[in-house]
């Protein structure tokens, strides 16, 4: 076994954006006596699912100003882009959308800088298969048989990576491609196909056919918490948001100001709803919220708009009513939204970009193991781990763990808005403060 269970021996499982941001928040407190062991199965930390792409056309969907790891130093990432390690991005302003691969580099580089040469940080490459609470603390068991002990563990294991049957490299330029999903994942795939000079038709399909909205220069509307209808029925909440948008427009502002202005309240709104209300939100409002809240960079939106105008990309609102193999192709029957008419499309390649899951009974061995031994359970809506408001993992019997915490999207059952860096960095800052008070 490696490591000790001395106070302040922290295990972080998962070295994507959440794990790295948490480690950096801890390391930037030099006065604190901690030893961090970061366990990541990928070769490189900082990539995770979101930032593992090296495609130059895959840009961040959040402006540079909001992508700093530290909310109290919002220019940290922009400064790094100007002066950091490697090639510098020219012309950076707050409204810059950097390449996602640059963001992975920023995460890695900042971690290296803060970790320095001391013994406060140790990276272990390997897959964690079990996390066991012991008398003294918690122990991570890895696929290679090694064990790592700590006083507290943070599960930053993120998304269950989607298993796609085909890779973009297998697509022939004249293939007809069907993409299920019309969100940011579809846009990523379309950008990758377009860069390969794809010639065949690309069809994107989702229930509502709603594409992500585009970013514009906007300034979050200040919204007083006293006016937020916490706990109200969905229709009442929606009416309130509509009124805010109408009033904002009358003042010459944009709906984006309202959506961004809701951000400081969205986690509390989510927490104020019953399970039934949350379910209604997920069923009826989520597609609208996601497309307005998670927007694309203007340059990406322009490529998509041009493809729509030229017919290279077609978006259909509807559902797949049936599919069958026919002469080496796939014949898909799509029942169109509204008319109910069935449209037949013959496709060569089909991709699933309907979204990512954080369900603990997916393919991640550490979560499956934790659930099977009763140390964790899925939340009532299947969004992720059942966790308390501070991220503490809730076991099968409802016991709140004093030693195991979730970080990042795995905690979305409790917070909902915890997928993007502006939310993750606040969660990490709060977790570090709470941890230091407890220690
Ligand atoms: C395609 C995409 C683009 C996005 N773009 C943006 C953006 O521009 N701006 C923004 O703010 N947000 C963006 N997001 C949101 C994104 O979720 C967060 O920014 C962040 O990546 C979440 O990181 P994570 O570390 O929690 O999860 P992940 O990215 O899923 O990382 C989890 C890490 O844990 C590791 N791991 C998992 N299980 C184990 C195990 N058992 N043992 C060892 N290691 C393990 C994985 O290998 C992985 O590296 C995007 C998300 C996606 C999917």
């Amino acid at each position: 076994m490696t490591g000790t269970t001395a106070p302040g021996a922290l295990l972080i499982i998962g070295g994507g954006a959440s794990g790295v941001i948490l480690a950096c928040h801890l390391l930037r407190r030099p006065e604190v006596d901690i030893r961090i062991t970061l366990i990541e199965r990928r070769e490189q930390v900082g990539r995770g699912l979101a930032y593992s792409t090296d495609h130059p056309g895959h840009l961040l969907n959040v402006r540079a100003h909001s992508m700093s790891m530290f909310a109290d130093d919002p220019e940290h990432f922009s400064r790094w882009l100007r002066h950091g390690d490697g090639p510098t991005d020219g012309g950076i302003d707050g409204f810059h959308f950097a390449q996602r691969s640059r963001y992975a580099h920023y995460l890695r580089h900042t971690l290296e800088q803060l970790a320095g040469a001391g013994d406060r940080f140790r990276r272990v490459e390997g897959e964690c298969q079990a996390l066991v609470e012991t008398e003294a603390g918690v122990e991570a068991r890895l696929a290679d048989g090694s064990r790592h002990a700590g006083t507290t563990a943070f599960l930053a294991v993120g998304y269950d990576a989607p298993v796609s049957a085909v890779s973009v490299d297998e697509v022939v330029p004249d293939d007809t491609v069907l993409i299920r999903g019309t969100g940011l994942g579809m846009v990523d795939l379309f950008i990758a196909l377009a860069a390969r000079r794809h010639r065949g038709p690309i069809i994107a399909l989702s229930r509502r056919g709603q594409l992500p909205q585009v970013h514009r220069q906007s300034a979050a509307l200040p919204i007083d918490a006293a006016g937020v209808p916490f706990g109200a029925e969905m229709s009442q909440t929606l009416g309130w948001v509509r009124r805010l948008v109408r009033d904002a427009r009358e003042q010459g502002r944009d709906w984006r100001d309202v959506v961004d202005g809701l951000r400081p309240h969205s986690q509390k709104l989510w927490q104020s709803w019953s399970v039934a209300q949350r379910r209604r939100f997920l069923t009826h409002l989520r597609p609208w919220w996601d497309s307005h809240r998670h927007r694309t960079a203007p340059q990406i939106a322009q490529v998509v708009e041009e493809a729509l105008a030229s017919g290279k990309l077609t978006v259909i609102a509807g559902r797949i009513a049936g599919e069958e193999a026919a002469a080496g192709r796939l014949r898909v029957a799509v029942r169109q939204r509204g008319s109910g008419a069935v449209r037949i499309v013959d496709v060569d390649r089909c991709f699933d970009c309907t979204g990512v899951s954080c369900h603990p009974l997916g393919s991640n061995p550490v979560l499956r193991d934790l659930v099977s031994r009763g140390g964790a359970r899925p939340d009532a809506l299947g969004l992720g781990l059942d966790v308390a408001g501070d991220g503490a993992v809730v076991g099968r019997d409802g016991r709140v763990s004093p030693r195991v915490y979730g970080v990042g999207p795995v905690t979305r059952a409790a917070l909902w808005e915890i997928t993007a860096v502006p939310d993750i960095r606040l969660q990490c800052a709060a977790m570090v403060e709470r941890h230091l008070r407890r220690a």
Side-chain angles (χ1 to χ4, degrees), residues 12-21 38-53 58-63 66-67 97-98 100 103 107 123-130 141-142 155-162 184-185 188 263 293-295 356-358 363-367 407-410 418-424:
I12 301 178
I13 323 293
S18 303
V20 170
I21 293 174
L38 178 74
I39 300 166
E40 167 57 52
R41 61 188 175 192
R42 289 177 195 246
E43 199 182 325
Q44 286 186 324
V45 299
R47 285 187 165 260
L49 182 62
Y51 311 110
S52 59
T53 172
H58 286 164
L59 304 184
L60 293 174
N61 54 46
V62 175
R63 60 197 102 185
S66 304
M67 287 298 289
F97 294 86
R100 295 220 295 272
Y103 194 70
L107 292 173
R123 188 258 149 112
V124 171
E125 187 177 336
E127 183 173 72
C128 178
Q129 296 195 320
R141 298 178 181 170
L142 271 60
L155 279 165
V157 292
Y159 304 107
D160 213 19
L184 292 169
D188 263 8
R263 193 167 202 153
R293 167 73 183 71
H294 303 289
R295 309 190 283 266
V356 281
S357 160
C358 291
S363 64
N364 201 314
V366 66
L367 297 183
V407 189
V410 291
I418 190 66
T419 48
V421 168
D423 302 303
I424 294 171

Side-chain angles (χ1 to χ4, degrees), residues 32 80 96 221 284 294 346 385 392 428 434:
V32 182
W80 183 88
H96 177 77
L221 181 78
H284 303 295
H294 303 289
D346 289 320
L385 286 170
C428 290
R434 272 194 303 268

Side-chain angles (χ1 to χ4, degrees), residues 349-381:
R349 303 282 174 181
C350 195
F351 289 89
D352 185 353
C353 293
T354 49
V356 281
S357 160
C358 291
H359 198 288
L361 290 178
S363 64
N364 201 314
V366 66
L367 297 183
R368 291 188 70 90
D369 179 78
L370 208 51
V371 172
S372 74
R373 283 183 298 99
R377 64 184 183 189
D379 75 291
L381 295 168

